[in-house]
Amino acid sequence: MLIKPGKILAKIESPDDVKNLNQTQLVELCNDLRQFIVDNVSVYGGHFGASLGVVELTVALHYVYNTPYDQLVWDVGHQAYGHKILTGRRDNFHTNRTYNGISGFPKRTESKYDTFGVGHSTTSISAGLGMAIASKYKNEMDRQHIAVIGDGAMTGGLAFEAMNHAGVSNSNLLIILNDNCMSIDPNVGALKDYLTDITTSGTYNRLKSDVWKVLGKMSKFGKSAQEIASKLESSLKSLILHQSNLFESLNLRYFGPVDGHDIDHMVHVLEDLKKIPGPKILHCITTKGKGFALAEKDQTKWHAPGKFDKITGVIRKKEIEMPQPPKYQVVFGETLLELAMQNDKIMGVTPAMPSGSSMNIMMKAMPDRSFDVGIAEQHAVTFSAGLATQGLIPFCNIYSTFMQRAYDQVIHDVAIQKLPVVFCLDRAGLVGADGPTHHGAYDLAYMRCIPNMVIAAPMNESELRNMMFTSQLPGNGPIAIRYPRGQGVMPEWRTPFEQLEIGRGRKICDGENVAILSIGHVGNYVVNACQLLYKSDIYPAHYDLRFAKPLDEVLLNEVFSKFNKIITIEDGCLPGGFGSSILEFMADNNHSAQIVRLGIPDEIIEHGEPEQLHKDCGYDVENIKNTVIKLLEPELAKF
Ligand SMILES: Cc1ncc(C[n+]2csc(CCOP(=O)(O)OP(=O)(O)O)c2C)c(N)n1
């Protein structure tokens, strides 16, 4: 179903068309854009509240700046739907996040207006500064660079590293801080309080507008007059805020706060800022979900609600046959609380994903023992390490893809010191519609080479519970438990805890001629493939290794002594992954066998339905079945 844009939006083929609009038409364009986002996301799904919150900002930016010559960098990029729609992708927008369709995030190969590929947060200031300094180097002094970053993304350390550099760069960089007090969940931390403090300081805000007017007038009297006015303005800010302004102390000129939904005012402010050279920050106040009442009210739920009825606001759920298996994340959240009630050493840590990881279950029940530390994966890991030095057992839940941010912390702060931090890597494997920035493809490979690290991957809910139970028992070092996005396979999942032997796998079924070695949830695909193969009188053996590290050497020696054809399967990258570890084991132990490895090839895997992506990568049920048949062809030909 193609969704019709409103009258004004229908005429916008590129930002040049936005520039031709008058004030009234700009307001109409904002209405059209907002409606078009509501219409599309309600039917096709995707991120929602964040894009609604920056409609006016998006229109104002494309109106004032000469994009793509002026470079606009979106942080995270989940709020850039309006930008996509205004920059030539309106008629394709219904393909957003679908297989072969446009990406849900800015992507350089998709459009010249997408200056930087995103998905992970807190990169915009660094990237924008890089662009600004490059422009300076190339003597393109008229070129503007704008990084749009949310208050959530601003909690990440990378933003501060970038501002620290920007403050001494004298480059043409405007940082727009889109402050809606929300991350996915309510934003956290001292910075949030600081921003609220600025926003609500009445005296400051009154004086600020007067100073702004003076500053504008002074520009007519030449540079030095403007400089005096601007110094006056910044000392006034410090004075009134009773403390030095955080951004001003980093040498960034601070402007705002401004109402980010007042398109008229936003246009004027940006026009003014364009004339002020050097690094600067505009603090913009917006409402996440603006214009869709339910999304304004329950901002976490409407961050990415899935498809919904735009009139009633009812979120469409798939028709469910009862009873359904739970999502792995729910099993994690419920089990963590259960364990924490039994073991008072357990603590919970999440970097800004309380709802996504289900850590919110423990946070609600035990607020003093569970922490949302902001979008700060590096800090989450080292903070957990600190807790562990004091005899506590932190369960640090980080999505596989976001853990990439904290790699040195895992090695330097946890593994070298053999601290008992339990890493729970959610969304491991191909995640689907979020695409390449979010696929949890690499954790088996990047964790496997770290000494002292144990890597476990449950094949079902009960295994996840047992792995979590085992990891909090005394005497363990660091452990990473990886599990995928979405549902498991056991509707009755609250099984009693059982201690697992670290590094011990299990035989799922005996067989002949070929052995399949799986790790994690994809073991269920193997079970299904075997069911199909039985119909053709083919009986592969299937082993679930449970631990990618340490490997079960006893089990593997048995496999190599019985089978000379082996298939490995993992929902992770082939280079350096689980299959590679089996090849290494074979070589190191003088075994020989024909090994076929199934998993994510050495390529960037785009977005799409997980089932489709598994098929493309060659490890869905059908491909497993065919791989077995192909491998057995010489044997089968004998009959
Ligand atoms: C490194 C990293 N960690 C976590 C996330 C998940 N994530 C996506 S959006 C988001 C919240 C961003 O909040 P903010 O920047 O304030 O933008 P808003 O959604 O409020 O507009 C988070 C935590 C991510 N994209 N990248």
Side-chain angles (χ1 to χ4, degrees):
M1 180 170 85
L2 207 61
I3 282 152
K4 262 182 79 174
K7 229 169 60 201
I8 299 282
L9 181 59
K11 294 190 190 131
I12 307 294
E13 301 305 329
S14 81
D16 286 346
D17 300 326
V18 179
K19 291 178 177 55
N20 293 328
L21 301 179
N22 62 31
Q23 256 182 344
T24 323
Q25 289 169 322
L26 280 183
V27 174
E28 281 168 28
L29 175 60
C30 292
N31 293 339
D32 283 2
L33 194 54
R34 186 162 272 122
Q35 190 58 49
F36 193 68
I37 293 170
V38 171
D39 289 349
N40 270 279
V41 178
S42 62
V43 174
Y44 300 110
H47 288 101
F48 189 55
S51 281
L52 291 188
V54 294
V55 162
E56 288 77 13
L57 176 61
T58 307
V59 170
L61 283 166
H62 282 295
Y63 180 81
V64 170
Y65 289 94
N66 178 23
T67 55
Y69 179 71
D70 289 341
Q71 300 196 290
L72 180 53
V73 186
W74 295 96
D75 207 282
V76 187
H78 64 309
Q79 80 289 57
Y81 288 8
H83 160 83
K84 290 201 169 214
I85 294 162
L86 295 182
T87 55
R89 284 162 280 183
R90 182 198 57 219
D91 296 343
N92 264 351
F93 196 66
H94 63 285
T95 70
N96 187 33
R97 293 163 57 89
T98 58
Y99 191 58
N100 290 330
I102 63 170
S103 162
F105 300 100
K107 189 172 173 181
R108 280 168 62 82
T109 49
E110 196 178 283
S111 165
K112 62 183 177 186
Y113 293 93
D114 292 1
T115 56
F116 202 67
V118 265
H120 287 201
S121 91
T122 323
T123 59
S124 61
I125 307 179
S126 299
L129 180 61
M131 292 170 196
I133 287 182
S135 296
K136 210 165 106 183
Y137 177 68
K138 292 194 272 180
N139 221 8
E140 296 165 343
M141 301 310 281
D142 59 334
R143 211 167 186 183
Q144 307 284 332
H145 312 83
I146 310 105
V148 183
I149 182 166
D151 56 309
M154 191 64 108
T155 58
L158 186 56
F160 288 84
E161 295 171 32
M163 287 193 287
N164 186 41
H165 183 186
V168 292
S169 70
N170 198 20
S171 60
N172 231 349
L173 176 71
L174 168 65
I175 302 165
I176 297 185
L177 172 58
N178 174 40
D179 185 0
N180 56 21
C181 295
M182 287 296 289
S183 192
I184 294 178
D185 295 270
N187 201 11
V188 293
L191 180 68
K192 182 205 69 177
D193 294 343
Y194 175 71
L195 294 176
T196 310
D197 197 32
I198 302 183
T199 312
T200 50
S201 163
T203 332
Y204 166 68
N205 281 313
R206 261 193 317 278
L207 263 162
K208 181 205 63 175
S209 6
D210 295 346
V211 169
W212 188 278
K213 280 181 206 144
V214 174
L215 193 64
K217 284 185 188 133
M218 288 308 241
S219 65
K220 293 186 195 114
F221 297 102
K223 224 173 161 205
S224 59
Q226 202 189 2
E227 263 166 28
I228 297 168
S230 117
K231 279 203 183 113
L232 181 74
E233 175 231 14
S234 81
S235 48
L236 260 176
K237 277 183 207 161
S238 307
L239 212 73
I240 297 157
L241 286 173
H242 302 295
Q243 64 207 63
S244 75
N245 178 286
L246 174 67
F247 304 103
E248 294 272 346
S249 7
L250 290 172
N251 247 354
L252 299 167
R253 301 281 310 281
Y254 170 89
F255 299 96
V258 291
D259 173 2
H261 296 303
D262 182 342
I263 175 78
D264 204 25
H265 186 51
M266 284 304 294
V267 166
H268 281 109
V269 167
L270 293 174
E271 297 277 15
D272 283 348
L273 287 177
K274 220 161 95 168
K275 294 180 208 130
I276 299 172
K280 52 206 164 284
I281 183 162
L282 174 66
H283 186 183
C284 197
I285 307 299
T286 61
T287 305
K288 200 164 174 174
K290 180 75 178 177
F292 194 83
L294 288 169
E296 286 187 32
K297 205 163 146 223
D298 191 345
Q299 295 172 323
T300 300
K301 181 169 165 190
W302 291 86
H303 176 82
K307 299 170 189 174
F308 59 92
D309 182 322
K310 66 179 180 190
I311 310 290
T312 61
V314 174
I315 294 174
R316 298 186 204 281
K317 292 258 178 320
K318 281 188 196 145
E319 293 292 313
I320 20 179
E321 302 156 27
M322 300 296 272
Q324 281 287 302
K327 289 182 177 171
Y328 278 103
Q329 69 173 73
V330 173
V331 178
F332 162 82
E334 298 280 358
T335 304
L336 181 63
L337 180 59
E338 208 176 320
L339 288 170
M341 288 194 300
Q342 295 169 15
N343 182 347
D344 63 4
K345 292 198 167 66
I346 289 178
M347 310 293 270
V349 180
T350 170
M353 303 304 277
S355 330
S357 68
S358 295
M359 181 72 78
N360 55 2
I361 297 172
M362 180 173 178
M363 286 169 71
K364 194 162 167 233
M366 300 179 171
D368 52 336
R369 286 173 61 187
S370 39
F371 305 89
D372 174 359
V373 299
I375 310 183
E377 288 79 9
Q378 297 182 324
H379 166 64
V381 171
T382 305
F383 168 64
S384 299
L387 292 172
T389 60
Q390 301 308 304
L392 301 177
I393 303 170
F395 275 67
C396 178
N397 188 308
I398 303 188
Y399 286 14
S400 163
T401 187
F402 302 142
M403 183 57 114
Q404 291 159 197
R405 280 278 164 97
Y407 194 49
D408 180 57
Q409 283 71 16
V410 172
I411 298 173
H412 181 270
D413 302 331
V414 177
I416 290 178
Q417 311 189 83
K418 211 172 184 300
L419 292 169
V421 177
V422 183
F423 294 116
C424 292
L425 304 183
D426 194 343
R427 288 3 179 224
L430 294 173
V431 292
D434 277 335
T437 54
H438 283 59
H439 291 320
Y442 309 109
D443 59 276
L444 284 169
Y446 70 61
M447 285 291 184
R448 200 169 73 76
C449 54
I450 304 175
N452 289 334
M453 186 61 69
V454 170
I455 308 168
M459 191 170 139
N460 57 42
E461 292 86 335
S462 175
E463 293 274 300
L464 174 55
R465 282 170 64 75
N466 292 340
M467 284 168 183
M468 290 175 68
F469 172 75
T470 304
S471 61
Q472 49 93 51
L473 296 173
N476 288 324
I479 178 165
I481 307 174
R482 59 133 32 204
Y483 50 90
R485 176 175 171 272
Q487 286 176 311
V489 289
M490 294 176 63
E492 298 298 321
W493 58 273
R494 277 185 203 271
T495 50
F497 290 126
E498 239 178 74
Q499 182 175 356
L500 300 177
E501 194 181 332
I502 300 277
R504 184 68 60 233
R506 58 181 184 147
K507 189 193 293 175
I508 303 285
C509 66
D510 254 328
E512 52 198 36
N513 300 323
V514 59
I516 306 176
L517 308 179
S518 66
I519 184 85
H521 178 83
V522 286
N524 298 295
Y525 305 176
V526 178
V527 170
N528 294 341
C530 287
Q531 295 298 330
L532 297 176
L533 287 162
Y534 295 161
K535 292 182 189 154
S536 312
D537 272 342
I538 298 172
Y539 299 95
H542 176 200
Y543 299 84
D544 164 28
L545 267 283
R546 273 186 181 145
F547 293 88
K549 187 178 182 177
L551 285 173
D552 186 339
E553 303 204 348
V554 176
L555 182 150
L556 287 177
N557 281 326
E558 182 193 312
V559 169
F560 277 98
S561 66
K562 276 200 193 157
F563 297 91
N564 58 14
K565 290 179 194 293
I566 292 170
I567 297 168
T568 66
I569 169 161
E570 63 203 290
D571 193 6
C573 64
L574 287 174
F578 166 69
S580 296
S581 77
I582 303 298
L583 288 175
E584 289 165 19
F585 178 86
M586 177 174 77
D588 294 346
N589 292 279
N590 275 326
H591 291 299
S592 72
Q594 184 182 359
I595 297 188
V596 177
R597 290 177 301 138
L598 302 182
I600 303 173
D602 188 11
E603 291 164 25
I604 298 299
I605 308 300
E606 298 297 343
H607 56 279
E609 285 294 309
E611 296 74 23
Q612 179 66 48
L613 302 182
H614 291 152
K615 184 170 172 214
D616 289 359
C617 290
Y619 61 96
D620 63 337
V621 174
E622 194 62 20
N623 269 296
I624 299 169
K625 185 190 92 177
N626 293 339
T627 306
V628 172
I629 293 174
K630 196 149 175 254
L631 199 58
L632 290 181
E633 253 162 21
E635 259 88 345
L636 296 172
K638 286 182 202 154
F639 296 100

